Amino acid sequence: MQLLTQLAIMVEHSLNASLKSVLLQIGTPKALIIDIFCTQAFDICKPLSIPVYSFFTASVALMNFSLYLPTMDREIDGEFVDLPEPVAVPGCTPIRTADLLDQVKDRNNDEYMWYLHHVGRLPEAAGIFLNSWEGIEPVSIQSLTEHPFYRGIPIPEIFPVGPLIKQVECTAEMDAELINWLDEQPSKSVLFVALGSGGTFTSDQMTELAWGLELSEQRFVLVARFPSDRSASAAYFNAGSGGEEDGPARYLPEGFVERTKGRGVVVASWAPQIAVLGHVATGGFLSHCGWNSTLESVSSGVPMIAWPLYAEQRMNATILEEEVGVAVKVAAAAAVVGREEIERVVRLVMEGEKGKEMREKARLLKESAAEALSVGGGGSWASLAKVAERWKK
């Protein structure tokens, strides 16, 4: 069973079994906020007169596409990936078929049907919270309120409240050692390499990545997970499990850790991403471009090397490179990206003129994000305050 199907079925059983009783036990709340895959809550809350708000945790660009998807499903025959032109999402930059969300690339599977089902119910929400702000997605946000297509659905009121980022303190001894190492490095000199909570590489790709980092001669922090082709358990929910007890050196090129000692740090499975991105020594982020990681990076003023792996990450990577200007995509001409290409993009971001331009744009986005969240005057703060006042009344 595929991931999205697993999630959808687990959520459906959970909500149907217990949501109503939980809501009644806590005294009929003013509102319920749900994830995109929890739309069964509409049916449970309507008889209780509890308004249900959706929190769309991905980009607004994906939100626009998702609202357009039911129309595409009705009007387009065949597979979307076979369309001769990019998908013309109303009011937005057309999406290349290669960048489409994985779940809509095959219309004959359960994942597509579940995704279509849930996004088709978004107009039933009392409102939609967006984890974004106008500083990073001005066109997409504006189109939701002004474009005739979305007004004609119609969609509920939208509330940009981002960037909402989870703050995590560094407490473990390993985390402290890593931060201490960063304290000793020059400003903006370290590349952070991490692929999110579910990203893994094959053994061959991990080898090329390591060689690319070594050849670039740049400082780095590499989160090295157990390769996806060496453990049957290396799936999304337990990415990289099955080999960390022996340390990353076992699945990196022989001598790599020793040769790069002092210039680079290799950690197994996980690093305190918020703390690393926010550190003054961090000057670049090689990322899978999940939306949470994207927000964490731009909120810290850190430019990105975009290496999308699955879901909507290819769409995010294209937007970050071509529209926002804070990322450069890895050129994947083959199944395995070679060390020369990795060396090229690392040098480009960390020491090239293009990298300086991206870093300046990321700095401006950092300021824009802080302004959006500023108490009393920020757009995202005001948006959330507006809903809070509504609930109080």
Side-chain angles (χ1 to χ4, degrees):
M1 188 180 294
Q2 293 175 298
L3 172 62
L4 180 55
T5 303
Q6 292 182 49
L7 289 173
I9 291 176
M10 286 190 291
V11 166
E12 185 168 55
H13 281 276
S14 298
L15 295 185
N16 290 338
S18 60
L19 179 59
K20 181 177 180 180
S21 62
V22 169
L23 293 172
L24 293 175
Q25 286 173 16
I26 63 177
T28 313
K30 295 285 187 180
L32 177 69
I33 303 174
I34 63 168
D35 178 83
I36 179 62
F37 301 115
C38 300
T39 61
Q40 294 89 349
F42 292 135
D43 303 319
I44 298 169
C45 291
K46 187 175 181 179
L48 301 175
S49 298
I50 300 174
V52 179
Y53 291 74
S54 179
F55 179 33
F56 199 85
T57 58
S59 67
V60 182
L62 181 61
M63 169 81 170
N64 294 13
F65 170 80
S66 299
L67 289 168
Y68 184 50
L69 183 61
T71 300
M72 293 177 61
D73 186 73
R74 291 191 303 269
E75 297 181 353
I76 297 176
D77 295 325
E79 297 294 348
F80 302 144
V81 291
D82 295 328
L83 292 171
E85 301 291 338
V87 177
V89 178
C92 302
T93 302
I95 302 172
R96 300 187 188 101
T97 55
D99 289 343
L100 286 174
L101 181 73
D102 284 339
Q103 284 73 24
V104 306
K105 289 186 173 181
D106 179 3
R107 299 172 69 180
N108 295 309
N109 66 36
D110 288 341
E111 288 210 329
Y112 174 77
M113 297 310 298
W114 276 112
Y115 192 78
L116 177 65
H117 167 75
H118 285 299
V119 299
R121 300 197 70 179
L122 278 171
E124 298 179 46
I128 301 175
F129 293 111
L130 305 173
N131 196 4
S132 190
W133 76 104
E134 291 188 358
I136 191 171
E137 295 188 276
V139 175
S140 295
I141 292 176
Q142 184 178 14
S143 69
L144 288 176
T145 57
E146 298 182 5
H147 196 281
F149 174 80
Y150 304 105
R151 296 176 68 177
I153 293 178
I155 65 169
E157 189 172 4
I158 62 167
F159 303 97
V161 296
L164 299 181
I165 296 171
K166 183 178 181 180
Q167 300 296 327
V168 179
E169 295 292 335
C170 296
T171 55
E173 180 178 348
M174 181 179 66
D175 299 344
E177 291 179 2
L178 175 57
I179 300 302
N180 289 338
W181 181 83
L182 287 170
D183 289 341
E184 298 172 354
Q185 310 310 312
S187 175
K188 310 299 180 187
S189 67
V190 177
L191 176 70
F192 180 47
V193 183
L195 299 173
S197 56
T200 57
F201 281 145
T202 63
S203 299
D204 289 343
Q205 188 61 81
M206 183 69 77
T207 296
E208 292 302 305
L209 172 62
W211 275 111
L213 291 174
E214 185 172 348
L215 291 170
S216 75
E217 300 181 327
Q218 303 298 310
R219 295 175 175 84
F220 64 86
V221 172
L222 169 62
V223 180
R225 287 212 178 93
F226 198 70
S228 57
D229 57 351
R230 292 174 62 175
S231 172
S233 64
Y236 183 87
F237 282 125
N238 47 13
S241 63
E244 290 88 339
E245 63 275 3
D246 294 331
R250 188 161 68 89
Y251 43 89
L252 289 169
E254 184 176 357
F256 169 76
V257 175
E258 291 75 18
R259 290 193 302 272
T260 58
K261 189 174 183 180
R263 180 165 57 84
V265 174
V266 179
V267 297
S269 296
W270 187 88
Q273 183 161 299
I274 296 289
V276 174
L277 289 173
H279 199 284
V280 67
T282 302
F285 181 25
L286 192 156
S287 169
H288 64 311
C289 292
W291 193 241
N292 284 332
S293 290
T294 295
L295 294 181
E296 291 165 5
S297 190
V298 297
S299 295
S300 298
V302 177
M304 304 171 71
I305 297 172
W307 196 321
L309 299 176
Y310 49 78
E312 87 291 1
Q313 294 164 10
R314 288 175 293 273
M315 184 189 305
N316 294 343
T318 296
I319 292 171
L320 291 169
E321 180 180 54
E322 299 179 5
E323 296 184 31
V324 185
V326 295
V328 56
K329 288 195 292 186
V330 172
V336 176
V337 179
R339 61 192 69 178
E340 295 84 3
E341 168 62 9
I342 297 169
E343 177 190 2
R344 181 189 73 83
V345 293
V346 170
R347 287 185 179 274
L348 183 151
V349 171
M350 299 304 294
E351 63 182 20
E353 289 300 317
K354 178 69 173 179
K356 293 178 182 178
E357 294 174 9
M358 292 164 52
R359 189 165 292 109
E360 175 60 17
K361 291 180 179 179
R363 183 189 66 80
L364 294 175
L365 267 182
K366 176 182 178 179
E367 294 179 357
S368 172
E371 181 180 352
L373 295 172
S374 61
V375 176
S380 294
W381 184 93
S383 186
L384 188 56
K386 178 180 179 181
V387 186
E389 286 300 318
R390 180 180 301 174
W391 291 342
K392 289 178 182 178
K393 295 176 181 178

